[in-house]
Amino acid sequence: MSNTALLERPAATAVRPQASAAAPLAADLPAVRSPRGFALYVGLDEIKAAEAGVSLPLLVDALRRTLAELAPGAETHATVALAPHGSGGRDLDVVRLALQEPGAIARTKAAAEEDSTDEEGGVVVDISRKRVLIDGESAAFTYKEFELLQYLVLREGRTIERSELVSALWQAQDDETPGERTIDVHVRRLRAKLGRYEDIVRTVRGIGYRFDRHADVVIRYGHGTPSPDRF
């Protein structure tokens, strides 16, 4: 990839301002507030930049040159977000948090508050992290056991037939695809690990199983509530 042509000047017709719901014209904004600039967050570490044949300083310089050409009067400031080696996480999230972006701070605070409740009693079904906490301790659920509980939880109040559980959670080519009655064995194992909270998975005699809202159960969906059809 050429490093001298990272950004091209857009055609004249492309830079003409147009009104949109996402970026209203200044005339449409309240008189007490007006835009004074913008921030562009770029999530990219040095290794990924090198693999693309560029570097962070080169990208910053290319952006500045393009901006100077399009809007000579604009002022710019660039800063690099630093994180400890091996800290993990998405590059863009690290940048947003390092630059004190309000949304990133709010999400980090919410995650910390969730973690602080892990010591409380009851059952926490954490959909976003694929885990179950029982009285503050992580339960040793297998992948299938979690899927089974999750399937019922996301269909709260609805009785799920055994045949639906089998078809939804096991593929036809699976070596250990259970029969409709064998699903009872999986439910018993699930209940055994729930211990004194086993009654959160209710048996509907002759039909299947159901999860009802329960005072001892907290469901964590992460960012937004997932549609049952996604699982």
Side-chain angles (χ1 to χ4, degrees), residues 150-163:
Q150 175 181 260
Y151 196 90
L152 295 172
V153 164
L154 292 179
R155 291 156 183 81
E156 177 184 338
R158 175 185 152 199
T159 299
I160 309 298
E161 296 182 3
R162 293 176 176 84
S163 59

Side-chain angles (χ1 to χ4, degrees), residues 2-3 17 32 37 41 47 50 68-69 71 86 114 119 131 136 143 155 158 170 178 183 189 199 202 210 217 227:
S2 172
N3 291 339
V32 295
Y41 299 143
I47 295 176
E69 183 180 355
E114 279 191 357
E119 299 302 322
R131 64 174 183 171
Y143 175 78
R155 291 156 183 81
R158 175 185 152 199
W170 279 268
I183 199 72
R189 291 173 180 167
D199 63 340
R202 304 181 67 87
R210 184 180 72 231
V217 181
S227 164

Side-chain angles (χ1 to χ4, degrees), residues 1-4 6-7 49 52-65:
M1 181 178 71
S2 172
N3 291 339
T4 59
L6 292 173
L7 299 170
V54 295
S55 67
L56 298 185
L58 180 62
L59 289 174
V60 171
D61 183 63
L63 289 169
R64 278 179 166 162
R65 284 188 284 105

Side-chain angles (χ1 to χ4, degrees), residues 45-219:
D45 63 27
E46 293 176 318
I47 295 176
K48 292 176 183 176
E51 290 174 348
V54 295
S55 67
L56 298 185
L58 180 62
L59 289 174
V60 171
D61 183 63
L63 289 169
R64 278 179 166 162
R65 284 188 284 105
T66 300
L67 187 60
E69 183 180 355
L70 297 175
E75 297 178 316
T76 64
H77 173 75
T79 186
V80 175
L82 302 177
H85 288 295
S87 58
R90 295 174 61 238
D91 292 332
L92 189 57
D93 291 337
V94 170
V95 172
R96 296 176 70 180
L97 188 59
L99 299 182
Q100 299 292 293
E101 194 263 332
I105 294 175
R107 281 190 293 275
T108 301
K109 182 178 179 180
E113 290 175 350
E114 279 191 357
D115 289 340
S116 69
T117 64
D118 286 352
E119 299 302 322
E120 297 179 1
V123 179
V124 176
V125 182
D126 194 334
I127 303 295
S128 62
R129 300 184 185 181
K130 301 291 184 184
R131 64 174 183 171
V132 177
L133 301 176
I134 300 177
D135 293 332
E137 298 293 332
S138 182
F141 277 41
T142 66
Y143 175 78
K144 250 345 168 206
E145 288 165 351
F146 182 85
E147 277 198 324
L148 176 57
L149 180 60
Q150 175 181 260
Y151 196 90
L152 295 172
V153 164
L154 292 179
R155 291 156 183 81
E156 177 184 338
R158 175 185 152 199
T159 299
I160 309 298
E161 296 182 3
R162 293 176 176 84
S163 59
E164 179 179 339
L165 290 171
V166 172
S167 61
L169 302 179
W170 279 268
Q171 302 299 320
Q173 65 271 22
D174 287 352
D175 295 334
E176 298 181 359
T177 303
E180 292 184 21
R181 290 300 171 185
T182 312
I183 199 72
D184 296 342
V185 176
H186 290 271
V187 172
R188 281 200 297 271
R189 291 173 180 167
L190 172 63
R191 282 175 168 161
K193 292 184 179 180
L194 288 170
R196 63 193 180 98
Y197 303 107
E198 64 176 354
D199 63 340
I200 68 174
V201 177
R202 304 181 67 87
T203 299
V204 181
R205 194 173 296 277
I207 302 177
Y209 299 95
R210 184 180 72 231
F211 170 81
D212 291 322
R213 178 62 61 180
H214 199 287
D216 291 324
V217 181
V218 174
I219 311 299

